[in-house]
Amino acid sequence: MLSIVLIGSGNVAVQLAKNLQKANHVKLLQRYSRSVKNTEYFDKTIPVTNNLKKLKEADLFIIAISDDAITSVSKELQVSKGLVVHTSGNKPLNSLICKANKGVFYPVQTFSKEKEISFDQIPICIETEHTDDMDLLKYFANSMSKKVYEINSQQREKLHIAAVFANNFTNHMFAIADDICRKNNVSFDILKPLIQETAKKVKFISPKDAQTGPAVRNNLKVIENQLRQLDHNEKEIYSLITKSIIESYNS
Amino acid sequence: MLSIVLIGSGNVAVQLAKNLQKANHVKLLQRYSRSVKNTEYFDKTIPVTNNLKKLKEADLFIIAISDDAITSVSKELQVSKGLVVHTSGNKPLNSLICKANKGVFYPVQTFSKEKEISFDQIPICIETEHTDDMDLLKYFANSMSKKVYEINSQQREKLHIAAVFANNFTNHMFAIADDICRKNNVSFDILKPLIQETAKKVKFISPKDAQTGPAVRNNLKVIENQLRQLDHNEKEIYSLITKSIIESYNS
């Protein structure tokens, strides 16, 4: 049985706590929260402290807090035994500064407090400073998810950039589409099944092979006609992405 | 019972034929195909002709062919009774040139020949030249799908631009993410659940409200760090979309 102390009370911590309580071979001993924020989202039976000096002994300390606080909180830890991991995609392993051994447990998903999400199908990227700790972290990650990947800090940094394209920028394309619909009194609902299908396709076909539309067909007549109808900001984006699609199919 | 003649043998025609055969109150009388292309994807029991002069009489003639052929094929039709519709999101109603009454039946989805798709949940955008024909087209569209929208040619043109953002450009964001993963020896599979979740979110939350990541937080340290790691083409796209996100949350 792996004993865990969970540090943090944001979206990731809320969802982690729920999944830790359900997992086999895992015992959530205690959680740390600086304030009473989000208390309502946590099971009341989990012992809680607001004092980093009063953490229990455990096999694993999971720091699930905002990127900018990772270093300062890890410095305050008075933990010398056990493995300390953070959950950030964006921060290297050595942003942890503490006596105990270090690692990373990065669940690649977007979390909210309200929507309960099972870790089962969430890819988990893990890294440890010492190879000796990898077995323990792998054992833990496998008890939470079926998809565990060993990835170093440099790869994780690139993965996080890729995630910005695949998640944030994609979502901004939806926002622009929503905007165009709104301005022309057309319901954005019309596009929702197409959006679902676009995401579904990429499970089975590489995005490059799945591409359709005027850019990949290099249909300049349609492209020019559509460009004419866009305002400045949208036009710049349309034009640059179209250029990039055309180039990537002709190089 | 509505009688239908289907003109075309591409992806949309293949899927339409399958769904027409299943629909209530609808009878697919005949299909027209210029060549024997894709014959294997059609039910053998549907009468087929390759002669536009030999079309049967019907209530509805559906022209499901490539955008550039719509005008020329419609000119060759020797049909004076019944309603003639095309299925294009990109072409106005008056790209049809024929004696019969005209309309548009635009299913907003991406189709392939291989993957059978039910029209049930596909939004259908309809338009007729004469208001008298709207009842018939609406009756037909409702027998195919639960989501029918009356939209004019101008709105449809804008909707099609919005679809380019929501589908093609989104897919290109996936392609760039895939590329970054590949170059750094990280599996693109890690991002697939995140991609599904991003698409799922937009069903319930407006994309503007769903946005996360460094741009919406205006986290310049992360943005600059990520920009430094991208090559020229990706950097330009990252920079422009980030600027657009920042502006849209600060205006």
Side-chain angles (χ1 to χ4, degrees):
Chain A
M1 185 69 92
L2 268 177
S3 56
I4 317 269
V5 168
L6 176 63
I7 295 159
S9 51
N11 299 351
V12 178
V14 166
Q15 297 301 335
L16 254 176
K18 286 192 207 298
N19 281 271
L20 286 168
Q21 290 192 290
K22 277 187 225 149
N24 292 323
H25 316 300
V26 165
K27 169 85 183 152
L28 178 53
L29 287 187
Q30 184 188 34
R31 66 182 191 86
Y32 161 86
S33 180
R34 199 176 42 183
S35 66
V36 292
K37 200 185 82 177
N38 296 331
T39 303
E40 66 272 30
Y41 295 105
F42 289 95
D43 188 317
K44 301 286 169 292
T45 64
I46 310 167
V48 55
T49 177
N50 62 2
N51 186 342
L52 279 174
K53 295 192 175 98
K54 291 193 175 162
L55 297 189
K56 297 190 179 179
E57 285 195 10
D59 299 311
L60 189 62
F61 298 82
I62 305 178
I63 303 186
I65 59 180
S66 68
D67 285 3
D68 291 336
I70 290 173
T71 299
S72 62
V73 166
S74 68
K75 274 184 186 169
E76 283 184 63
L77 287 182
Q78 318 244 319
V79 168
S80 51
K81 264 168 49 183
L83 181 66
V84 174
V85 298
H86 73 61
T87 57
S88 165
N90 202 34
K91 286 284 170 180
L93 184 141
N94 60 25
S95 64
L96 291 169
I97 298 180
C98 59
K99 270 186 234 156
N101 287 358
K102 300 162 203 167
V104 177
F105 175 91
Y106 169 42
V108 188
Q109 189 48 281
T110 163
F111 295 96
S112 59
K113 277 178 287 290
E114 293 78 13
K115 195 181 165 216
E116 200 163 330
I117 192 162
S118 162
F119 269 58
D120 200 42
Q121 297 299 322
I122 296 179
I124 309 284
C125 297
I126 55 173
E127 178 185 12
T128 56
E129 189 181 16
H130 302 294
T131 49
D132 290 359
D133 295 318
M134 189 41 95
D135 283 351
L136 178 129
L137 191 55
K138 216 179 249 174
Y139 176 79
F140 169 65
N142 282 321
S143 72
M144 298 290 284
S145 165
K146 292 199 181 88
K147 299 173 176 172
V148 177
Y149 298 84
E150 223 178 298
I151 272 179
N152 64 36
S153 289
Q154 214 184 337
Q155 289 173 309
R156 199 173 52 254
E157 198 176 17
K158 306 292 187 184
L159 179 65
H160 193 254
I161 299 175
V164 166
F165 279 90
N167 174 12
N168 309 149
F169 290 178
T170 284
N171 187 70
H172 194 55
M173 298 300 112
F174 301 158
I176 293 174
D178 186 11
D179 233 43
I180 294 172
C181 287
R182 216 179 289 263
K183 278 188 263 178
N184 293 283
N185 209 7
V186 176
S187 168
F188 179 58
D189 286 347
I190 299 178
L191 293 176
K192 289 180 181 174
L194 180 63
I195 286 172
Q196 303 311 312
E197 187 67 20
T198 307
K200 223 187 276 172
K201 253 191 186 173
V202 94
K203 285 198 211 175
F204 311 106
I205 317 176
S206 92
K208 197 165 174 184
D209 292 336
Q211 192 58 282
T212 58
V216 69
R217 290 195 310 268
N218 204 357
N219 189 331
L220 297 179
K221 226 170 81 185
V222 172
I223 292 168
E224 278 160 25
N225 179 41
Q226 299 199 326
L227 271 172
R228 256 196 307 277
Q229 298 176 61
L230 294 168
D231 67 21
H232 177 69
N233 173 27
E234 295 162 355
K235 190 180 286 188
E236 258 193 309
I237 292 177
Y238 184 105
S239 166
L240 185 62
I241 299 180
T242 294
K243 194 183 98 194
S244 171
I245 295 176
I246 293 175
E247 280 170 5
S248 70
Y249 288 85
N250 292 295
S251 60
Chain B
M1 185 69 95
L2 267 177
S3 57
I4 316 269
V5 167
L6 176 64
I7 294 160
S9 52
N11 299 350
V12 178
V14 166
Q15 298 301 335
L16 254 176
K18 286 191 208 297
N19 282 272
L20 285 168
Q21 290 193 289
K22 277 186 226 150
N24 292 323
H25 318 299
V26 165
K27 169 85 183 153
L28 178 53
L29 287 187
Q30 184 188 32
R31 66 181 190 87
Y32 161 86
S33 179
R34 197 175 44 183
S35 66
V36 293
K37 201 183 81 177
N38 296 330
T39 304
E40 66 272 30
Y41 293 105
F42 288 94
D43 188 317
K44 302 286 170 291
T45 64
I46 309 167
V48 56
T49 176
N50 62 2
N51 187 342
L52 279 175
K53 296 190 174 100
K54 292 194 174 161
L55 297 189
K56 298 191 180 178
E57 284 195 10
D59 299 311
L60 188 63
F61 297 81
I62 305 177
I63 303 186
I65 60 180
S66 68
D67 284 3
D68 292 336
I70 291 173
T71 299
S72 63
V73 166
S74 68
K75 274 183 186 167
E76 283 184 61
L77 287 183
Q78 318 245 317
V79 168
S80 51
K81 264 168 48 182
L83 181 66
V84 173
V85 298
H86 73 61
T87 58
S88 164
N90 202 34
K91 288 282 171 182
L93 184 141
N94 60 25
S95 64
L96 290 169
I97 298 179
C98 58
K99 269 186 238 158
N101 287 358
K102 299 162 204 167
V104 177
F105 175 90
Y106 168 43
V108 188
Q109 189 49 283
T110 164
F111 295 96
S112 59
K113 279 179 285 292
E114 294 78 12
K115 196 182 162 214
E116 199 163 330
I117 192 162
S118 163
F119 269 58
D120 200 41
Q121 298 298 324
I122 296 179
I124 310 283
C125 297
I126 55 174
E127 178 185 11
T128 55
E129 190 182 15
H130 302 293
T131 48
D132 290 0
D133 295 319
M134 189 41 94
D135 283 351
L136 178 129
L137 191 55
K138 216 178 249 175
Y139 177 79
F140 170 64
N142 282 321
S143 72
M144 298 291 282
S145 165
K146 293 200 182 86
K147 299 172 176 174
V148 177
Y149 298 84
E150 221 177 300
I151 271 180
N152 65 36
S153 289
Q154 213 185 337
Q155 289 174 309
R156 198 172 53 253
E157 198 177 17
K158 306 293 186 183
L159 179 65
H160 193 253
I161 300 175
V164 166
F165 279 91
N167 173 13
N168 309 148
F169 290 178
T170 284
N171 187 70
H172 194 56
M173 297 302 112
F174 301 158
I176 293 174
D178 186 12
D179 233 44
I180 295 172
C181 287
R182 216 179 289 263
K183 278 188 262 178
N184 293 284
N185 209 9
V186 176
S187 168
F188 179 58
D189 286 348
I190 299 178
L191 293 176
K192 289 181 181 173
L194 180 63
I195 286 172
Q196 303 312 311
E197 187 67 20
T198 308
K200 221 186 278 173
K201 254 190 185 173
V202 94
K203 285 198 213 174
F204 310 107
I205 317 176
S206 92
K208 197 165 176 186
D209 292 337
Q211 191 58 283
T212 58
V216 68
R217 291 196 307 268
N218 203 357
N219 189 332
L220 297 178
K221 228 170 81 186
V222 172
I223 291 168
E224 278 159 24
N225 179 41
Q226 298 199 326
L227 271 171
R228 255 197 307 277
Q229 299 178 60
L230 293 167
D231 68 20
H232 177 68
N233 173 27
E234 294 162 356
K235 191 180 287 190
E236 257 191 310
I237 292 177
Y238 184 105
S239 167
L240 186 62
I241 299 179
T242 294
K243 193 183 99 195
S244 171
I245 295 175
I246 293 175
E247 280 170 4
S248 71
Y249 289 85
N250 291 294
S251 59

